[in-house]
Amino acid sequence: MLELKHVDTYYGNIQALRDVSLTVNDGEIVTLIGANGAGKSTTLMTICGINKARNGEIFWDGQPIHTLPPNTIVRLGISQVPEGRLIFPDLSVQENLDLGAFLRNDQAGIKQDVDYAFSLFPILAERRKQLGGTLSGGEQQMLAICRALMARPKLLLLDEPSLGLAPIIIRQIFDIIRKVNADGMTVFLVEQNANQALRIAHRGYVMETGSISMADQASVLLASPQIRAAYLGG
Ligand code: ATP
């Protein structure tokens, strides 16, 4: 479904990604784990076309997308939940969701998807009229995920959804990611929280200083002594 082939990405003269190749297949949860500054967010930005790959290729359903502008890539069905949640603080929960659907005009479908979002996170239904900025961190993350789902993407890109959240909220969010995937959504999950991410993923990639250093089934990575020592606290 998504394929990166030998991708290099730069910020000016600084190379942030080196020869990154990875795939995400239809129906999977694939996670990209790695330390702070490894290049995980840059990988997502490159897929979305915000930072262009200087070398290499990115294919979506067999079509090259690395030369396309970000808005075209969104229209092809790739939706990102950026790090730091970035909801609209002065708009209500409902208005944030409506904005997620701005490319659509199928009112019945939109209504159905709002209901689906509220079924995933009932607390958002209760807070439907509340301003986004007054929600807790966990609720804002829930809203950011739901807003991305409102575009009805084929692939959901998540950048560190667990960042700064309490363990109980993280568990709730990861349970929902698994549910959304079970309902048919393909997910590419970038996380520093390797333990939780590998527990819900089918496959995982490990990134170190801009390169992929390991790739395997998530269960294999979770059991690997090397991964346990480096990312899972032994
Ligand atoms: P984090 O978990 O902290 O977001 P990350 O794995 O997502 O880390 P990136 O944010 O992709 O890592 O950063 C990869 C490298 O690129 C780092 O060395 C970082 O300092 C550098 N970098 C990121 N953004 C920029 C930028 N706008 N300008 C210059 N260098 C950048």
Side-chain angles (χ1 to χ4, degrees):
M1 194 177 193
L2 178 73
E3 184 171 20
L4 277 67
K5 283 184 168 175
H6 309 294
V7 166
D8 295 331
T9 303
Y10 287 74
Y11 293 101
N13 291 326
I14 302 166
Q15 186 166 8
L17 298 186
R18 280 170 207 280
D19 195 24
V20 170
S21 296
L22 59 84
T23 56
V24 181
N25 299 315
D26 200 3
E28 283 187 310
I29 299 179
V30 175
T31 188
L32 178 66
I33 60 171
N36 210 349
K40 305 181 301 300
S41 299
T42 304
T43 304
L44 289 188
M45 295 299 181
T46 305
I47 294 168
C48 294
I50 296 166
N51 288 358
K52 290 286 174 212
R54 189 175 293 181
N55 301 307
E57 297 164 305
I58 305 178
F59 294 94
W60 171 246
D61 281 341
Q63 303 298 316
I65 59 167
H66 47 277
T67 53
L68 300 177
N71 63 331
T72 308
I73 294 173
V74 173
R75 280 169 209 271
L76 292 174
I78 300 179
S79 212
Q80 186 185 180
V81 182
E83 187 178 324
R85 319 195 237 283
L86 305 181
I87 54 141
F88 295 97
D90 298 328
L91 297 181
S92 70
V93 166
Q94 179 72 54
E95 288 164 338
N96 267 279
L97 291 178
D98 291 345
L99 271 180
F102 80 103
L103 289 174
R104 300 170 56 184
N105 48 23
D106 56 322
Q107 294 310 321
I110 292 172
K111 160 99 181 54
Q112 206 179 344
D113 289 352
V114 170
D115 291 345
Y116 177 66
F118 287 157
S119 76
L120 295 174
F121 297 111
I123 188 81
L124 292 183
E126 285 172 33
R127 305 202 186 296
R128 179 191 288 254
K129 293 190 177 144
Q130 199 168 314
L131 295 184
T134 67
L135 300 176
S136 71
E139 290 160 359
Q140 290 190 16
Q141 183 63 62
M142 295 171 192
L143 180 56
I145 293 172
C146 290
R147 192 185 56 197
L149 289 175
M150 290 303 298
R152 245 192 217 186
K154 295 183 192 137
L155 173 66
L156 186 64
L157 307 176
L158 294 166
D159 196 352
E160 303 226 18
S162 76
L163 194 72
L165 300 181
I168 186 167
I169 306 291
I170 295 175
R171 216 166 307 131
Q172 206 181 337
I173 291 200
F174 277 65
D175 282 350
I176 294 300
I177 296 170
R178 194 155 35 182
K179 174 164 177 17
V180 166
N181 172 252
D183 290 342
M185 181 67 62
T186 306
V187 177
F188 186 54
L189 169 65
V190 159
E191 260 298 340
Q192 273 191 62
N193 189 334
N195 190 25
Q196 300 273 359
L198 289 171
R199 279 177 198 286
I200 65 164
H202 300 100
R203 289 189 301 116
Y205 291 88
V206 182
M207 183 163 255
E208 285 176 38
T209 55
S211 302
I212 301 292
S213 58
M214 281 179 88
D216 216 320
Q217 299 298 312
S219 56
V220 173
L221 293 176
L222 204 50
S224 146
Q226 212 178 327
I227 298 294
R228 297 204 73 80
Y231 300 104
L232 305 172

